Amino acid sequence: MRQYSADLTPPWKKPKAVAEVPAEPGLVVEEPATGFCGAVIRCEAGTVTLEDRFGKHRVFPLQPGGFLLEGRPVTLVRAAAGPVRAARTASGSVAVPGARARVARAGRIYVEGRHDAELVEKVWGDDLRIEGVVVEYLGGVDDLPAIVEEFAPGPDARLGVLVDHLVPGSKEWRIAEAVTSEHALVVGHPYIDIWEAVKPSSLGIPSWPRVPRGQDWKTGVCRTLGWPENTGAAWQGILARVRSYKDLEPELLGRVEQLIDFVTEPG
């Protein structure tokens, strides 16, 4: 005689399995009951400690399906102790213990502003010191032709430049085209400002807001997200949430790596 299951629940109404995710430091999750969103600071027996973008810490119990990761329920578990891996820099490169900074090369990398320089230093600083590459920033992209002329790039003194919002037809695009040469490389990312190159998920926000034309972009972002309208303080909060290359968009990662390769290539 044929046997039938007593469970008559349609498949689409059955609860879906919740993925288990190791609570590794830096993982950004949300506790849905309170709406608290933060990065994992530590995970101990039965609890996890999160830190939000303002530096506030809260401790939560490890419960099945108790957190949201990119909007989906997950179960946080303690990360298993595994084999010792080679230490990595924030850029993902293998760290070189005890390595001394190389004497600065004649070549340089220029970025568009102070925030850009601080972000590049935080993620690629260790690599740049080993390679002897100095990063400086422009007062504005309009200054680029004069800087390139004064720098006079050559085979042993290459110049790499990272520009914000480098899209075809823009003013930035025309300036980049005018100064690019065999020994001067100008690349860019599509974002209005370097802030946008930080993944929203790393900051606990769904996306970067759209700011109407005519408004200061950074002030508009702060206003839309409910942050204090102090762009300097907002940037420091954003920068504090960047722990490695994993917190940045690929469009920025590729361009910075390209510039480092360019200025360190033998003449």
Side-chain angles (χ1 to χ4, degrees), residues 148-256:
V148 174
E149 182 178 4
E150 181 180 358
F151 187 87
D156 297 319
R158 293 187 168 206
L159 181 65
V161 184
L162 178 69
V163 178
D164 295 343
H165 200 227
L166 190 62
V167 294
S170 65
K171 176 186 73 174
E172 293 83 359
W173 180 270
R174 291 191 292 272
I175 292 175
E177 288 284 293
V179 302
T180 296
S181 67
E182 181 182 0
H183 306 300
L185 175 65
V186 182
V187 299
H189 55 74
Y191 306 112
I192 295 174
D193 190 272
I194 197 69
W195 289 20
E196 273 195 303
V198 179
K199 291 180 178 178
S201 58
S202 297
L203 303 175
I205 60 176
S207 63
W208 286 103
R210 294 185 176 273
V211 177
R213 289 194 174 191
Q215 290 188 24
D216 178 73
W217 188 83
K218 293 176 182 176
T219 302
V221 165
C222 292
R223 186 178 298 132
T224 303
L225 294 176
W227 298 351
E229 293 184 22
N230 180 331
T231 57
W235 168 245
Q236 291 307 313
I238 294 169
L239 189 61
R241 299 299 294 274
V242 176
R243 294 171 172 81
S244 76
Y245 71 98
K246 296 178 181 179
D247 296 305
L248 303 180
E249 298 288 2
E251 289 81 356
L252 176 67
L253 296 175
R255 301 293 74 75
V256 176

Side-chain angles (χ1 to χ4, degrees), residues 21-265:
V21 177
E24 297 181 343
L27 179 73
V28 177
V29 295
E30 178 183 350
E31 201 284 317
T34 61
F36 188 89
C37 183
V40 173
I41 299 300
R42 69 182 65 89
C43 185
E44 300 168 329
T47 65
V48 63
T49 302
L50 305 182
E51 179 187 53
D52 70 6
R53 63 187 177 88
F54 299 109
K56 183 178 180 181
H57 290 193
R58 289 193 61 174
V59 180
F60 296 98
L62 293 174
Q63 297 179 340
F67 298 89
L68 299 178
L69 176 62
E70 297 181 351
R72 297 183 178 182
V74 295
T75 298
L76 292 185
V77 296
R78 294 185 69 183
V84 176
R85 298 180 180 178
R88 298 273 175 176
T89 67
S91 71
S93 300
V94 176
V96 183
R100 300 178 64 182
R102 178 174 175 167
V103 175
R105 294 173 181 267
R108 291 286 186 275
I109 290 177
Y110 273 84
V111 295
E112 196 163 338
R114 181 171 59 84
H115 292 179
D116 307 64
E118 290 175 342
L119 185 61
V120 170
E121 162 60 28
K122 184 161 188 180
V123 177
W124 287 274
D126 290 338
D127 304 326
L128 292 168
R129 279 183 284 278
I130 290 177
E131 294 290 349
V133 178
V134 174
V135 175
E136 301 184 29
Y137 62 88
L138 309 167
V141 71
D142 291 334
D143 299 331
L144 185 54
I147 288 175
V148 174
E149 182 178 4
E150 181 180 358
F151 187 87
D156 297 319
R158 293 187 168 206
L159 181 65
V161 184
L162 178 69
V163 178
D164 295 343
H165 200 227
L166 190 62
V167 294
S170 65
K171 176 186 73 174
E172 293 83 359
W173 180 270
R174 291 191 292 272
I175 292 175
E177 288 284 293
V179 302
T180 296
S181 67
E182 181 182 0
H183 306 300
L185 175 65
V186 182
V187 299
H189 55 74
Y191 306 112
I192 295 174
D193 190 272
I194 197 69
W195 289 20
E196 273 195 303
V198 179
K199 291 180 178 178
S201 58
S202 297
L203 303 175
I205 60 176
S207 63
W208 286 103
R210 294 185 176 273
V211 177
R213 289 194 174 191
Q215 290 188 24
D216 178 73
W217 188 83
K218 293 176 182 176
T219 302
V221 165
C222 292
R223 186 178 298 132
T224 303
L225 294 176
W227 298 351
E229 293 184 22
N230 180 331
T231 57
W235 168 245
Q236 291 307 313
I238 294 169
L239 189 61
R241 299 299 294 274
V242 176
R243 294 171 172 81
S244 76
Y245 71 98
K246 296 178 181 179
D247 296 305
L248 303 180
E249 298 288 2
E251 289 81 356
L252 176 67
L253 296 175
R255 301 293 74 75
V256 176
E257 298 285 352
Q258 183 180 1
L259 289 178
I260 294 174
D261 290 342
F262 179 77
V263 299
T264 57
E265 183 179 334

